[in-house]
Amino acid sequence: MNINKNTLVSDIVADNYKTATIFKNHKIDFCCNGNRGLATVALESSITTDELMNELKAIDNKAVSTTDYQNWELDFMSDYIYNTHHLYVEKQIPEILYYLDKICNAHANKHPELLEIRTLFNQSAADLTMHMKKEELILFPFIKKIAKAQKNNTKLDTPPFGTINNPINKMHHDHDNEGDRFRKIAELSNNYTIPKGGCTSYKVAFALLKDFEEDLHKHIHLENNILFKKAILLETTLNNK
């Protein structure tokens, strides 16, 4: 990929997901706020545009990830996101809440930030559960209809919500909220650093939270920067036939 100062962060990560590590190391949001050029995001970080470009090009020149999400069919990607990320979220929520309750009961007197972390995660759990059901029951089925219409070269019926942009805009808003929420959780936990005297449950809780956030970043990236963009483009193409 030809990377320059105006290249969008989302396009870079969509082309090669290994570059996500660079953005993460410099605390640059590549999933929710990825539609910004390198020069813009560099201004908000501790790295210059040229240094950022050099780091990205070094990764980009190495072997590209064998998972080529860009060439996946929309229906296949929808199923992949459900099976890989939605089911992961459903499985991990009760596990994380169990450990958060445990460490809040044991350590909140010395570490009151744990109570806020638990509150934020409870909010995230409720909102994500509702958000994913909307995708599973409304958005993903329509994306599959778009994919089917393309394959069969048939007319695409207008959905009750008018255009796919409408539910996608709502999903983007939800994703932004989750990005903000987990930035706060990371800040409160000092990037999931175990304090002196932290017990095993403390370590497990923070490890689970960190893994959850990393999975959420990839989850949102696949939706915002690949699935949704391709679905909008394909719906427009089919409707203009």
Side-chain angles (χ1 to χ4, degrees):
M1 182 181 190
N2 184 23
I3 297 174
N4 60 62
K5 65 180 183 179
N6 296 315
T7 308
L8 298 182
V9 170
S10 59
D11 289 342
I12 294 170
V13 180
D15 183 69
N16 182 359
Y17 193 74
K18 290 181 180 179
T19 58
T21 301
I22 300 295
F23 294 118
K24 186 172 184 294
N25 288 344
H26 294 294
K27 294 181 170 57
I28 296 170
D29 184 357
F30 63 84
C31 60
C32 298
N33 294 308
N35 289 324
R36 298 179 295 164
L38 289 181
T40 301
V41 299
L43 290 173
E44 302 172 7
S45 66
S46 57
I47 190 171
T48 68
T49 305
D50 287 341
E51 288 171 337
L52 186 56
M53 285 172 57
N54 287 337
E55 288 189 24
L56 291 167
K57 287 175 180 176
I59 281 193
D60 204 45
N61 288 334
K62 295 177 182 178
V64 178
S65 171
T66 54
T67 307
D68 189 4
Y69 298 111
Q70 287 284 17
N71 288 321
W72 284 8
E73 299 289 344
L74 291 179
D75 47 358
F76 180 84
M77 176 163 275
S78 298
D79 286 339
Y80 172 84
I81 290 171
Y82 168 74
N83 287 307
T84 304
H85 298 291
H86 285 205
L87 293 182
Y88 170 85
V89 169
E90 290 177 9
K91 177 176 176 290
Q92 293 303 100
I93 283 174
E95 184 87 353
I96 293 172
L97 288 174
Y98 168 79
Y99 282 102
L100 284 177
D101 284 342
K102 201 168 183 181
I103 63 175
C104 280
N105 291 336
H107 300 281
N109 57 331
K110 290 185 178 179
H111 297 282
E113 71 277 2
L114 289 174
L115 299 175
E116 189 174 353
I117 289 171
R118 181 173 63 179
T119 297
L120 288 167
F121 187 78
N122 264 307
Q123 291 168 350
S124 180
D127 289 351
L128 273 173
T129 299
M130 186 179 299
H131 169 91
M132 293 189 305
K133 286 305 172 190
K134 289 176 184 175
E135 289 183 335
E136 292 161 18
L137 297 174
I138 299 169
L139 185 54
F140 287 3
F142 185 65
I143 287 176
K144 291 182 179 183
K145 286 183 180 178
I146 294 175
K148 186 176 180 180
Q150 181 196 32
K151 289 175 185 176
N152 297 337
N153 196 26
T154 55
K155 184 178 181 298
L156 181 65
D157 293 331
T158 302
F161 41 79
T163 171
I164 199 169
N165 279 287
N166 293 324
I168 283 177
N169 285 339
K170 178 63 172 69
M171 298 302 105
H172 280 156
H173 176 72
D174 291 350
H175 289 167
D176 289 346
N177 286 342
E178 291 310 317
D180 291 341
R181 200 172 270 147
F182 268 90
R183 273 189 287 277
K184 183 64 176 174
I185 289 174
E187 179 186 326
L188 287 166
S189 64
N190 192 20
N191 287 318
Y192 309 106
T193 302
I194 311 302
K196 187 176 180 181
C199 63
T200 301
S201 292
Y202 217 126
K203 294 173 185 176
V204 172
F206 276 23
L208 288 172
L209 272 174
K210 184 178 180 181
D211 287 346
F212 192 92
E213 182 188 22
E214 289 176 354
D215 182 84
L216 190 62
H217 283 169
K218 188 169 185 180
H219 178 176
I220 292 173
H221 161 68
L222 290 177
E223 291 185 349
N224 282 6
N225 301 329
I226 302 180
L227 180 67
F228 294 170
K229 283 186 176 181
K230 290 179 72 174
I232 289 168
L233 181 61
L234 187 52
E235 182 196 48
T236 302
T237 301
L238 291 172
N239 286 338
N240 288 337
K241 275 190 174 182

